[in-house]
Amino acid sequence: MTDKLQSVLHPAGPDAVIISQFAWVMFGAGTVIFIGVMVLLALAVKRAPRQVRPLRWIAGAGIAFPLVVLSALLVWSTWRSAELAPQSSTASLVISVTAKMWWWEVRYHDPLTGREIISANEIRIPAGRDVYVALSATDVIHSLWVPALAGKRDMVPGRMTGLTLRADKPGVYRGQCAEYCGAQHARMALHVVAETPAAFDAWLARERQDAAAPGDAFLERGRQAFIGQRCAACHTIRGVAGDARLGPDLTHVGSRLHIAAGTLRNHRGTLAGWIADPQSIKPGARMPAANDIDGETLRALAAYLEHLK
C-alpha cells in the first residue's frame, strides 16, 4: 500500500468529504469576493474622482452583502455539519489512542478474548465500517488529525474525547499531531491503514499471538540482545520480556509500516539506525542510544525486531 496524500482536499471518508466541501466553498466564496473588491479598486483608480453616496455603499457593501453571504454560509454549513458522523462509542470496533511525547499508543479491545491488543503509531481499521477512536493524552495537549478521513480532535491530559473514523476503501492515510507539543511535534505522525474486513480480521488474529520464536541462531542472538541491552525496561515483547509501558509495545513491530512515529520506513536498516542513535534522527526523543553494542549484535537485534510480524 502507498501512502495517500495528507490533505483535506483528498477525502477518503464521508466526514472528510463534508469537510472538503466546506474548504472548497469557503475558498470559492473568498475568491469571488476578492475578485469583486479588486474590480472595484481598479474602477476607482481608473475613473475620474466624483461624488459618491457613502451611505449607499455602507448599507449595501458593508451591511447587506456580508449579512446575506454569511447567513447563507451559516445555514449551509449547519445543514451539512448535521451529516457528520456522531462521535459515539457504539461503533462495532473501539480503539483507544493515547498521545505521548512524541508517539502514539494504540489499544484494541479484542472482542474474541476480551483483552487489549497493544500497538503503536499505526491504526488498523476495516474499510467501509465506522470505527470509534477514544482519545486521551498523558503529558501535554496533543491533537489527532487524519485529514483524508476526519476532522481534528484535541487530546487534553485528564480528559477523554473521541473521533469516528471511516475509510471508504483500503489505503494508507497519514495523520499528524496538530497541536504543538514540544521539540519533536513535527515528527509525531501516525498512519491509518484501512484494509478489507477479511484482511483486518487476519491481522487482528496475528496480533493476538505472542511474539514469534526466533527461527535461527542469528535471530536468537537478537532476542538475547533485546534482553541483555535492557530494552525490556521500556518496551514489551509478549512472550519474551516484561510489561513495560514507557515505550511502544514491540510484540509485532515488524508488521508496522513505519517506526519512530512515522519518521522512518520500517526495515532492518532503519531499525538498526534508530537503535544505534535515535537522538540524531529525533533529537529529544526519550529513547537512549545503544552505545555499548557491537555491529554484529546490532544487526542481529534489528533482524529480530524485523521478523516480529
Side-chain angles (χ1 to χ4, degrees), residues 95-107 116 118-121 123 133-140 142-144 155-160 188 190 245:
I95 302 172
S96 297
V97 175
T98 303
K100 306 182 180 186
M101 297 170 68
W102 292 278
W103 62 284
W104 313 84
E105 183 178 72
V106 183
R107 293 172 177 258
E116 286 188 324
I118 304 175
S119 185
N121 302 320
I123 302 175
V133 183
L135 304 174
S136 61
T138 61
D139 36 43
V140 299
H142 300 274
S143 184
L144 176 63
M155 306 165 76
V156 181
R159 296 185 183 180
M160 290 294 297
M188 187 175 170
L190 86 167
R245 290 287 175 261

PDB file of all heavy atoms in Angstrom, residues 95-107 116 118-121 123 133-140 142-144 155-160 188 190 245:
ATOM      1  N   ILE A  95     -11.285   1.641  19.405  1.00  0.00           N
ATOM      2  CA  ILE A  95      -9.832   1.684  19.552  1.00  0.00           C
ATOM      3  C   ILE A  95      -9.491   2.850  20.472  1.00  0.00           C
ATOM      4  O   ILE A  95     -10.077   3.928  20.357  1.00  0.00           O
ATOM      5  CB  ILE A  95      -9.139   1.869  18.188  1.00  0.00           C
ATOM      6  CG1 ILE A  95      -9.522   0.736  17.233  1.00  0.00           C
ATOM      7  CG2 ILE A  95      -7.629   1.950  18.340  1.00  0.00           C
ATOM      8  CD1 ILE A  95      -9.045   0.950  15.808  1.00  0.00           C
ATOM      9  N   SER A  96      -8.553   2.639  21.377  1.00  0.00           N
ATOM     10  CA  SER A  96      -8.089   3.712  22.258  1.00  0.00           C
ATOM     11  C   SER A  96      -6.719   4.179  21.789  1.00  0.00           C
ATOM     12  O   SER A  96      -5.824   3.358  21.572  1.00  0.00           O
ATOM     13  CB  SER A  96      -7.998   3.225  23.709  1.00  0.00           C
ATOM     14  OG  SER A  96      -9.266   2.843  24.196  1.00  0.00           O
ATOM     15  N   VAL A  97      -6.574   5.480  21.630  1.00  0.00           N
ATOM     16  CA  VAL A  97      -5.289   6.064  21.236  1.00  0.00           C
ATOM     17  C   VAL A  97      -4.866   7.053  22.315  1.00  0.00           C
ATOM     18  O   VAL A  97      -5.620   7.969  22.659  1.00  0.00           O
ATOM     19  CB  VAL A  97      -5.390   6.771  19.870  1.00  0.00           C
ATOM     20  CG1 VAL A  97      -4.078   7.480  19.541  1.00  0.00           C
ATOM     21  CG2 VAL A  97      -5.728   5.765  18.776  1.00  0.00           C
ATOM     22  N   THR A  98      -3.666   6.859  22.839  1.00  0.00           N
ATOM     23  CA  THR A  98      -3.115   7.748  23.853  1.00  0.00           C
ATOM     24  C   THR A  98      -1.905   8.463  23.275  1.00  0.00           C
ATOM     25  O   THR A  98      -0.968   7.814  22.789  1.00  0.00           O
ATOM     26  CB  THR A  98      -2.701   6.964  25.111  1.00  0.00           C
ATOM     27  OG1 THR A  98      -3.837   6.253  25.618  1.00  0.00           O
ATOM     28  CG2 THR A  98      -2.181   7.906  26.184  1.00  0.00           C
ATOM     29  N   ALA A  99      -1.934   9.780  23.308  1.00  0.00           N
ATOM     30  CA  ALA A  99      -0.827  10.580  22.785  1.00  0.00           C
ATOM     31  C   ALA A  99       0.207  10.797  23.879  1.00  0.00           C
ATOM     32  O   ALA A  99      -0.126  11.131  25.015  1.00  0.00           O
ATOM     33  CB  ALA A  99      -1.344  11.918  22.276  1.00  0.00           C
ATOM     34  N   LYS A 100       1.473  10.600  23.501  1.00  0.00           N
ATOM     35  CA  LYS A 100       2.590  10.822  24.410  1.00  0.00           C
ATOM     36  C   LYS A 100       3.673  11.570  23.638  1.00  0.00           C
ATOM     37  O   LYS A 100       3.694  11.554  22.415  1.00  0.00           O
ATOM     38  CB  LYS A 100       3.137   9.489  24.929  1.00  0.00           C
ATOM     39  CG  LYS A 100       2.070   8.595  25.571  1.00  0.00           C
ATOM     40  CD  LYS A 100       2.661   7.310  26.116  1.00  0.00           C
ATOM     41  CE  LYS A 100       1.578   6.433  26.743  1.00  0.00           C
ATOM     42  NZ  LYS A 100       2.128   5.231  27.406  1.00  0.00           N
ATOM     43  N   MET A 101       4.575  12.217  24.343  1.00  0.00           N
ATOM     44  CA  MET A 101       5.665  12.917  23.673  1.00  0.00           C
ATOM     45  C   MET A 101       6.705  11.881  23.220  1.00  0.00           C
ATOM     46  O   MET A 101       7.400  11.316  24.049  1.00  0.00           O
ATOM     47  CB  MET A 101       6.299  13.938  24.613  1.00  0.00           C
ATOM     48  CG  MET A 101       5.342  15.056  25.047  1.00  0.00           C
ATOM     49  SD  MET A 101       5.981  16.108  26.381  1.00  0.00           S
ATOM     50  CE  MET A 101       7.327  16.938  25.533  1.00  0.00           C
ATOM     51  N   TRP A 102       6.913  11.624  21.960  1.00  0.00           N
ATOM     52  CA  TRP A 102       6.216  12.073  20.774  1.00  0.00           C
ATOM     53  C   TRP A 102       5.864  10.837  19.971  1.00  0.00           C
ATOM     54  O   TRP A 102       6.451  10.547  18.933  1.00  0.00           O
ATOM     55  CB  TRP A 102       7.114  13.029  19.973  1.00  0.00           C
ATOM     56  CG  TRP A 102       7.339  14.341  20.687  1.00  0.00           C
ATOM     57  CD1 TRP A 102       6.493  15.414  20.699  1.00  0.00           C
ATOM     58  CD2 TRP A 102       8.455  14.711  21.494  1.00  0.00           C
ATOM     59  NE1 TRP A 102       7.014  16.436  21.467  1.00  0.00           N
ATOM     60  CE2 TRP A 102       8.227  16.021  21.966  1.00  0.00           C
ATOM     61  CE3 TRP A 102       9.628  14.055  21.878  1.00  0.00           C
ATOM     62  CZ2 TRP A 102       9.112  16.687  22.795  1.00  0.00           C
ATOM     63  CZ3 TRP A 102      10.503  14.711  22.703  1.00  0.00           C
ATOM     64  CH2 TRP A 102      10.246  16.021  23.149  1.00  0.00           C
ATOM     65  N   TRP A 103       4.887  10.092  20.490  1.00  0.00           N
ATOM     66  CA  TRP A 103       4.427   8.883  19.815  1.00  0.00           C
ATOM     67  C   TRP A 103       3.007   8.578  20.270  1.00  0.00           C
ATOM     68  O   TRP A 103       2.451   9.268  21.119  1.00  0.00           O
ATOM     69  CB  TRP A 103       5.372   7.700  20.085  1.00  0.00           C
ATOM     70  CG  TRP A 103       5.491   7.293  21.530  1.00  0.00           C
ATOM     71  CD1 TRP A 103       6.193   7.940  22.508  1.00  0.00           C
ATOM     72  CD2 TRP A 103       4.888   6.160  22.168  1.00  0.00           C
ATOM     73  NE1 TRP A 103       6.065   7.282  23.708  1.00  0.00           N
ATOM     74  CE2 TRP A 103       5.279   6.180  23.537  1.00  0.00           C
ATOM     75  CE3 TRP A 103       4.067   5.122  21.723  1.00  0.00           C
ATOM     76  CZ2 TRP A 103       4.875   5.210  24.450  1.00  0.00           C
ATOM     77  CZ3 TRP A 103       3.662   4.149  22.636  1.00  0.00           C
ATOM     78  CH2 TRP A 103       4.073   4.201  23.979  1.00  0.00           C
ATOM     79  N   TRP A 104       2.408   7.548  19.671  1.00  0.00           N
ATOM     80  CA  TRP A 104       1.014   7.207  19.918  1.00  0.00           C
ATOM     81  C   TRP A 104       0.914   5.753  20.380  1.00  0.00           C
ATOM     82  O   TRP A 104       1.434   4.853  19.721  1.00  0.00           O
ATOM     83  CB  TRP A 104       0.179   7.358  18.648  1.00  0.00           C
ATOM     84  CG  TRP A 104       0.389   8.630  17.899  1.00  0.00           C
ATOM     85  CD1 TRP A 104       1.375   8.894  16.990  1.00  0.00           C
ATOM     86  CD2 TRP A 104      -0.411   9.820  17.967  1.00  0.00           C
ATOM     87  NE1 TRP A 104       1.239  10.163  16.489  1.00  0.00           N
ATOM     88  CE2 TRP A 104       0.154  10.761  17.076  1.00  0.00           C
ATOM     89  CE3 TRP A 104      -1.554  10.168  18.686  1.00  0.00           C
ATOM     90  CZ2 TRP A 104      -0.381  12.030  16.886  1.00  0.00           C
ATOM     91  CZ3 TRP A 104      -2.087  11.432  18.503  1.00  0.00           C
ATOM     92  CH2 TRP A 104      -1.506  12.346  17.614  1.00  0.00           C
ATOM     93  N   GLU A 105       0.244   5.529  21.483  1.00  0.00           N
ATOM     94  CA  GLU A 105      -0.060   4.167  21.917  1.00  0.00           C
ATOM     95  C   GLU A 105      -1.471   3.821  21.455  1.00  0.00           C
ATOM     96  O   GLU A 105      -2.409   4.589  21.668  1.00  0.00           O
ATOM     97  CB  GLU A 105       0.036   4.038  23.436  1.00  0.00           C
ATOM     98  CG  GLU A 105      -0.194   2.608  23.922  1.00  0.00           C
ATOM     99  CD  GLU A 105      -0.062   2.480  25.428  1.00  0.00           C
ATOM    100  OE1 GLU A 105      -0.973   2.968  26.140  1.00  0.00           O
ATOM    101  OE2 GLU A 105       0.948   1.917  25.886  1.00  0.00           O
ATOM    102  N   VAL A 106      -1.604   2.675  20.821  1.00  0.00           N
ATOM    103  CA  VAL A 106      -2.879   2.263  20.227  1.00  0.00           C
ATOM    104  C   VAL A 106      -3.318   0.948  20.870  1.00  0.00           C
ATOM    105  O   VAL A 106      -2.564  -0.026  20.887  1.00  0.00           O
ATOM    106  CB  VAL A 106      -2.740   2.092  18.698  1.00  0.00           C
ATOM    107  CG1 VAL A 106      -4.086   1.730  18.076  1.00  0.00           C
ATOM    108  CG2 VAL A 106      -2.178   3.360  18.062  1.00  0.00           C
ATOM    109  N   ARG A 107      -4.535   0.934  21.388  1.00  0.00           N
ATOM    110  CA  ARG A 107      -5.074  -0.258  22.047  1.00  0.00           C
ATOM    111  C   ARG A 107      -6.389  -0.675  21.384  1.00  0.00           C
ATOM    112  O   ARG A 107      -7.278   0.151  21.186  1.00  0.00           O
ATOM    113  CB  ARG A 107      -5.318   0.003  23.537  1.00  0.00           C
ATOM    114  CG  ARG A 107      -4.046   0.238  24.347  1.00  0.00           C
ATOM    115  CD  ARG A 107      -4.367   0.679  25.769  1.00  0.00           C
ATOM    116  NE  ARG A 107      -3.161   0.835  26.568  1.00  0.00           N
ATOM    117  CZ  ARG A 107      -2.733  -0.041  27.466  1.00  0.00           C
ATOM    118  NH1 ARG A 107      -3.442  -1.140  27.697  1.00  0.00           N
ATOM    119  NH2 ARG A 107      -1.622   0.167  28.147  1.00  0.00           N
ATOM    120  N   GLU A 116      -6.881  -6.557  25.818  1.00  0.00           N
ATOM    121  CA  GLU A 116      -6.426  -5.473  24.954  1.00  0.00           C
ATOM    122  C   GLU A 116      -5.227  -5.917  24.122  1.00  0.00           C
ATOM    123  O   GLU A 116      -4.321  -6.600  24.619  1.00  0.00           O
ATOM    124  CB  GLU A 116      -6.039  -4.249  25.787  1.00  0.00           C
ATOM    125  CG  GLU A 116      -7.233  -3.494  26.338  1.00  0.00           C
ATOM    126  CD  GLU A 116      -6.827  -2.189  26.985  1.00  0.00           C
ATOM    127  OE1 GLU A 116      -5.748  -2.149  27.607  1.00  0.00           O
ATOM    128  OE2 GLU A 116      -7.580  -1.207  26.870  1.00  0.00           O
ATOM    129  N   ILE A 118      -2.152  -4.296  22.086  1.00  0.00           N
ATOM    130  CA  ILE A 118      -1.458  -3.008  22.127  1.00  0.00           C
ATOM    131  C   ILE A 118      -0.501  -2.894  20.944  1.00  0.00           C
ATOM    132  O   ILE A 118       0.276  -3.807  20.651  1.00  0.00           O
ATOM    133  CB  ILE A 118      -0.689  -2.844  23.453  1.00  0.00           C
ATOM    134  CG1 ILE A 118      -1.650  -3.008  24.632  1.00  0.00           C
ATOM    135  CG2 ILE A 118      -0.003  -1.482  23.506  1.00  0.00           C
ATOM    136  CD1 ILE A 118      -0.972  -2.977  25.981  1.00  0.00           C
ATOM    137  N   SER A 119      -0.572  -1.753  20.279  1.00  0.00           N
ATOM    138  CA  SER A 119       0.315  -1.445  19.171  1.00  0.00           C
ATOM    139  C   SER A 119       0.797  -0.007  19.347  1.00  0.00           C
ATOM    140  O   SER A 119       0.636   0.586  20.414  1.00  0.00           O
ATOM    141  CB  SER A 119      -0.413  -1.635  17.834  1.00  0.00           C
ATOM    142  OG  SER A 119       0.459  -1.445  16.743  1.00  0.00           O
ATOM    143  N   ALA A 120       1.385   0.550  18.298  1.00  0.00           N
ATOM    144  CA  ALA A 120       1.888   1.920  18.413  1.00  0.00           C
ATOM    145  C   ALA A 120       2.014   2.564  17.040  1.00  0.00           C
ATOM    146  O   ALA A 120       2.403   1.909  16.059  1.00  0.00           O
ATOM    147  CB  ALA A 120       3.251   1.938  19.109  1.00  0.00           C
ATOM    148  N   ASN A 121       1.657   3.850  16.990  1.00  0.00           N
ATOM    149  CA  ASN A 121       1.938   4.719  15.840  1.00  0.00           C
ATOM    150  C   ASN A 121       1.260   4.289  14.544  1.00  0.00           C
ATOM    151  O   ASN A 121       1.611   4.789  13.471  1.00  0.00           O
ATOM    152  CB  ASN A 121       3.451   4.829  15.610  1.00  0.00           C
ATOM    153  CG  ASN A 121       4.176   5.367  16.826  1.00  0.00           C
ATOM    154  OD1 ASN A 121       3.694   6.280  17.484  1.00  0.00           O
ATOM    155  ND2 ASN A 121       5.322   4.786  17.140  1.00  0.00           N
ATOM    156  N   ILE A 123      -2.794   2.845  13.171  1.00  0.00           N
ATOM    157  CA  ILE A 123      -4.157   2.404  13.460  1.00  0.00           C
ATOM    158  C   ILE A 123      -4.640   1.561  12.289  1.00  0.00           C
ATOM    159  O   ILE A 123      -4.678   2.036  11.153  1.00  0.00           O
ATOM    160  CB  ILE A 123      -5.105   3.605  13.661  1.00  0.00           C
ATOM    161  CG1 ILE A 123      -4.609   4.502  14.800  1.00  0.00           C
ATOM    162  CG2 ILE A 123      -6.519   3.132  13.947  1.00  0.00           C
ATOM    163  CD1 ILE A 123      -5.428   5.768  14.965  1.00  0.00           C
ATOM    164  N   VAL A 133     -12.686   5.965  17.853  1.00  0.00           N
ATOM    165  CA  VAL A 133     -11.353   6.084  18.442  1.00  0.00           C
ATOM    166  C   VAL A 133     -11.463   6.939  19.701  1.00  0.00           C
ATOM    167  O   VAL A 133     -11.781   8.131  19.623  1.00  0.00           O
ATOM    168  CB  VAL A 133     -10.358   6.714  17.448  1.00  0.00           C
ATOM    169  CG1 VAL A 133      -8.961   6.760  18.053  1.00  0.00           C
ATOM    170  CG2 VAL A 133     -10.338   5.930  16.137  1.00  0.00           C
ATOM    171  N   ALA A 134     -11.240   6.326  20.859  1.00  0.00           N
ATOM    172  CA  ALA A 134     -11.239   7.049  22.134  1.00  0.00           C
ATOM    173  C   ALA A 134      -9.869   7.681  22.321  1.00  0.00           C
ATOM    174  O   ALA A 134      -8.839   7.008  22.201  1.00  0.00           O
ATOM    175  CB  ALA A 134     -11.550   6.090  23.280  1.00  0.00           C
ATOM    176  N   LEU A 135      -9.838   8.971  22.602  1.00  0.00           N
ATOM    177  CA  LEU A 135      -8.596   9.738  22.608  1.00  0.00           C
ATOM    178  C   LEU A 135      -8.260  10.247  24.002  1.00  0.00           C
ATOM    179  O   LEU A 135      -9.132  10.723  24.732  1.00  0.00           O
ATOM    180  CB  LEU A 135      -8.709  10.923  21.648  1.00  0.00           C
ATOM    181  CG  LEU A 135      -9.065  10.590  20.194  1.00  0.00           C
ATOM    182  CD1 LEU A 135      -9.286  11.868  19.399  1.00  0.00           C
ATOM    183  CD2 LEU A 135      -7.979   9.744  19.555  1.00  0.00           C
ATOM    184  N   SER A 136      -6.980  10.180  24.350  1.00  0.00           N
ATOM    185  CA  SER A 136      -6.500  10.729  25.615  1.00  0.00           C
ATOM    186  C   SER A 136      -5.036  11.104  25.454  1.00  0.00           C
ATOM    187  O   SER A 136      -4.391  10.753  24.463  1.00  0.00           O
ATOM    188  CB  SER A 136      -6.671   9.717  26.759  1.00  0.00           C
ATOM    189  OG  SER A 136      -5.917   8.545  26.501  1.00  0.00           O
ATOM    190  N   ALA A 137      -4.508  11.824  26.434  1.00  0.00           N
ATOM    191  CA  ALA A 137      -3.103  12.225  26.439  1.00  0.00           C
ATOM    192  C   ALA A 137      -2.566  12.083  27.854  1.00  0.00           C
ATOM    193  O   ALA A 137      -3.323  12.162  28.829  1.00  0.00           O
ATOM    194  CB  ALA A 137      -2.941  13.659  25.948  1.00  0.00           C
ATOM    195  N   THR A 138      -1.252  11.892  27.971  1.00  0.00           N
ATOM    196  CA  THR A 138      -0.663  11.658  29.289  1.00  0.00           C
ATOM    197  C   THR A 138       0.208  12.799  29.786  1.00  0.00           C
ATOM    198  O   THR A 138       0.500  12.859  30.975  1.00  0.00           O
ATOM    199  CB  THR A 138       0.201  10.388  29.267  1.00  0.00           C
ATOM    200  OG1 THR A 138       1.268  10.562  28.316  1.00  0.00           O
ATOM    201  CG2 THR A 138      -0.622   9.173  28.888  1.00  0.00           C
ATOM    202  N   ASP A 139       0.651  13.695  28.903  1.00  0.00           N
ATOM    203  CA  ASP A 139       1.634  14.686  29.338  1.00  0.00           C
ATOM    204  C   ASP A 139       1.215  16.123  29.014  1.00  0.00           C
ATOM    205  O   ASP A 139       0.966  16.922  29.901  1.00  0.00           O
ATOM    206  CB  ASP A 139       3.011  14.370  28.735  1.00  0.00           C
ATOM    207  CG  ASP A 139       2.919  13.816  27.324  1.00  0.00           C
ATOM    208  OD1 ASP A 139       2.128  14.354  26.521  1.00  0.00           O
ATOM    209  OD2 ASP A 139       3.636  12.840  27.008  1.00  0.00           O
ATOM    210  N   VAL A 140       1.133  16.457  27.728  1.00  0.00           N
ATOM    211  CA  VAL A 140       0.736  17.800  27.306  1.00  0.00           C
ATOM    212  C   VAL A 140      -0.431  17.673  26.333  1.00  0.00           C
ATOM    213  O   VAL A 140      -0.855  16.573  25.987  1.00  0.00           O
ATOM    214  CB  VAL A 140       1.911  18.554  26.641  1.00  0.00           C
ATOM    215  CG1 VAL A 140       3.066  18.721  27.610  1.00  0.00           C
ATOM    216  CG2 VAL A 140       2.382  17.829  25.377  1.00  0.00           C
ATOM    217  N   HIS A 142      -2.190  17.372  22.981  1.00  0.00           N
ATOM    218  CA  HIS A 142      -1.924  16.928  21.619  1.00  0.00           C
ATOM    219  C   HIS A 142      -3.221  17.067  20.817  1.00  0.00           C
ATOM    220  O   HIS A 142      -4.260  17.453  21.355  1.00  0.00           O
ATOM    221  CB  HIS A 142      -1.450  15.475  21.597  1.00  0.00           C
ATOM    222  CG  HIS A 142      -0.190  15.223  22.360  1.00  0.00           C
ATOM    223  ND1 HIS A 142       1.062  15.383  21.815  1.00  0.00           N
ATOM    224  CD2 HIS A 142       0.008  14.819  23.647  1.00  0.00           C
ATOM    225  CE1 HIS A 142       1.983  15.086  22.720  1.00  0.00           C
ATOM    226  NE2 HIS A 142       1.373  14.742  23.842  1.00  0.00           N
ATOM    227  N   SER A 143      -3.170  16.723  19.547  1.00  0.00           N
ATOM    228  CA  SER A 143      -4.366  16.739  18.717  1.00  0.00           C
ATOM    229  C   SER A 143      -4.179  15.752  17.573  1.00  0.00           C
ATOM    230  O   SER A 143      -3.132  15.747  16.924  1.00  0.00           O
ATOM    231  CB  SER A 143      -4.615  18.147  18.163  1.00  0.00           C
ATOM    232  OG  SER A 143      -5.825  18.181  17.427  1.00  0.00           O
ATOM    233  N   LEU A 144      -5.170  14.916  17.356  1.00  0.00           N
ATOM    234  CA  LEU A 144      -5.105  13.925  16.284  1.00  0.00           C
ATOM    235  C   LEU A 144      -5.857  14.440  15.065  1.00  0.00           C
ATOM    236  O   LEU A 144      -7.015  14.846  15.168  1.00  0.00           O
ATOM    237  CB  LEU A 144      -5.716  12.600  16.745  1.00  0.00           C
ATOM    238  CG  LEU A 144      -5.797  11.496  15.678  1.00  0.00           C
ATOM    239  CD1 LEU A 144      -4.403  11.097  15.215  1.00  0.00           C
ATOM    240  CD2 LEU A 144      -6.536  10.280  16.221  1.00  0.00           C
ATOM    241  N   MET A 155      -6.559  16.459  22.279  1.00  0.00           N
ATOM    242  CA  MET A 155      -6.353  15.425  23.295  1.00  0.00           C
ATOM    243  C   MET A 155      -5.718  16.104  24.505  1.00  0.00           C
ATOM    244  O   MET A 155      -4.545  16.487  24.470  1.00  0.00           O
ATOM    245  CB  MET A 155      -5.466  14.310  22.739  1.00  0.00           C
ATOM    246  CG  MET A 155      -6.006  13.735  21.435  1.00  0.00           C
ATOM    247  SD  MET A 155      -4.842  12.730  20.500  1.00  0.00           S
ATOM    248  CE  MET A 155      -4.851  11.218  21.456  1.00  0.00           C
ATOM    249  N   VAL A 156      -6.509  16.268  25.554  1.00  0.00           N
ATOM    250  CA  VAL A 156      -6.102  17.028  26.733  1.00  0.00           C
ATOM    251  C   VAL A 156      -5.869  16.061  27.894  1.00  0.00           C
ATOM    252  O   VAL A 156      -6.726  15.209  28.167  1.00  0.00           O
ATOM    253  CB  VAL A 156      -7.179  18.062  27.114  1.00  0.00           C
ATOM    254  CG1 VAL A 156      -6.754  18.866  28.337  1.00  0.00           C
ATOM    255  CG2 VAL A 156      -7.468  18.985  25.929  1.00  0.00           C
ATOM    256  N   PRO A 157      -4.729  16.157  28.570  1.00  0.00           N
ATOM    257  CA  PRO A 157      -4.496  15.272  29.720  1.00  0.00           C
ATOM    258  C   PRO A 157      -5.632  15.353  30.739  1.00  0.00           C
ATOM    259  O   PRO A 157      -6.101  16.439  31.083  1.00  0.00           O
ATOM    260  CB  PRO A 157      -3.184  15.811  30.309  1.00  0.00           C
ATOM    261  CG  PRO A 157      -2.483  16.441  29.152  1.00  0.00           C
ATOM    262  CD  PRO A 157      -3.572  17.039  28.306  1.00  0.00           C
ATOM    263  N   GLY A 158      -6.087  14.196  31.182  1.00  0.00           N
ATOM    264  CA  GLY A 158      -7.163  14.148  32.162  1.00  0.00           C
ATOM    265  C   GLY A 158      -8.555  14.154  31.575  1.00  0.00           C
ATOM    266  O   GLY A 158      -9.537  14.045  32.313  1.00  0.00           O
ATOM    267  N   ARG A 159      -8.673  14.268  30.246  1.00  0.00           N
ATOM    268  CA  ARG A 159      -9.981  14.277  29.598  1.00  0.00           C
ATOM    269  C   ARG A 159     -10.034  13.205  28.516  1.00  0.00           C
ATOM    270  O   ARG A 159      -9.041  12.939  27.848  1.00  0.00           O
ATOM    271  CB  ARG A 159     -10.280  15.637  28.965  1.00  0.00           C
ATOM    272  CG  ARG A 159     -10.382  16.785  29.956  1.00  0.00           C
ATOM    273  CD  ARG A 159     -10.796  18.056  29.240  1.00  0.00           C
ATOM    274  NE  ARG A 159     -10.850  19.200  30.143  1.00  0.00           N
ATOM    275  CZ  ARG A 159     -11.184  20.432  29.763  1.00  0.00           C
ATOM    276  NH1 ARG A 159     -11.496  20.667  28.491  1.00  0.00           N
ATOM    277  NH2 ARG A 159     -11.201  21.416  30.636  1.00  0.00           N
ATOM    278  N   MET A 160     -11.214  12.625  28.346  1.00  0.00           N
ATOM    279  CA  MET A 160     -11.433  11.652  27.281  1.00  0.00           C
ATOM    280  C   MET A 160     -12.275  12.292  26.186  1.00  0.00           C
ATOM    281  O   MET A 160     -13.308  12.908  26.461  1.00  0.00           O
ATOM    282  CB  MET A 160     -12.153  10.414  27.818  1.00  0.00           C
ATOM    283  CG  MET A 160     -11.313   9.551  28.742  1.00  0.00           C
ATOM    284  SD  MET A 160      -9.917   8.765  27.893  1.00  0.00           S
ATOM    285  CE  MET A 160     -10.782   7.735  26.707  1.00  0.00           C
ATOM    286  N   MET A 188       5.723  13.786  14.946  1.00  0.00           N
ATOM    287  CA  MET A 188       4.757  12.960  15.673  1.00  0.00           C
ATOM    288  C   MET A 188       3.598  12.645  14.731  1.00  0.00           C
ATOM    289  O   MET A 188       2.518  13.224  14.806  1.00  0.00           O
ATOM    290  CB  MET A 188       4.262  13.673  16.928  1.00  0.00           C
ATOM    291  CG  MET A 188       3.388  12.801  17.821  1.00  0.00           C
ATOM    292  SD  MET A 188       2.943  13.645  19.358  1.00  0.00           S
ATOM    293  CE  MET A 188       1.712  12.498  20.006  1.00  0.00           C
ATOM    294  N   LEU A 190       1.297   9.528  12.510  1.00  0.00           N
ATOM    295  CA  LEU A 190       0.833   8.149  12.556  1.00  0.00           C
ATOM    296  C   LEU A 190       0.142   7.846  11.239  1.00  0.00           C
ATOM    297  O   LEU A 190      -0.143   8.759  10.456  1.00  0.00           O
ATOM    298  CB  LEU A 190      -0.102   7.889  13.731  1.00  0.00           C
ATOM    299  CG  LEU A 190      -1.603   8.181  13.573  1.00  0.00           C
ATOM    300  CD1 LEU A 190      -2.360   7.557  14.730  1.00  0.00           C
ATOM    301  CD2 LEU A 190      -1.884   9.654  13.502  1.00  0.00           C
ATOM    302  N   ARG A 245       5.780   0.001  29.818  1.00  0.00           N
ATOM    303  CA  ARG A 245       4.924   0.864  29.018  1.00  0.00           C
ATOM    304  C   ARG A 245       5.549   2.236  28.760  1.00  0.00           C
ATOM    305  O   ARG A 245       4.877   3.134  28.281  1.00  0.00           O
ATOM    306  CB  ARG A 245       3.572   1.048  29.722  1.00  0.00           C
ATOM    307  CG  ARG A 245       2.720  -0.213  29.728  1.00  0.00           C
ATOM    308  CD  ARG A 245       2.148  -0.509  28.351  1.00  0.00           C
ATOM    309  NE  ARG A 245       1.433  -1.773  28.315  1.00  0.00           N
ATOM    310  CZ  ARG A 245       1.944  -2.904  27.861  1.00  0.00           C
ATOM    311  NH1 ARG A 245       3.183  -2.936  27.396  1.00  0.00           N
ATOM    312  NH2 ARG A 245       1.238  -4.017  27.858  1.00  0.00           N
TER     313      ARG A 245
END
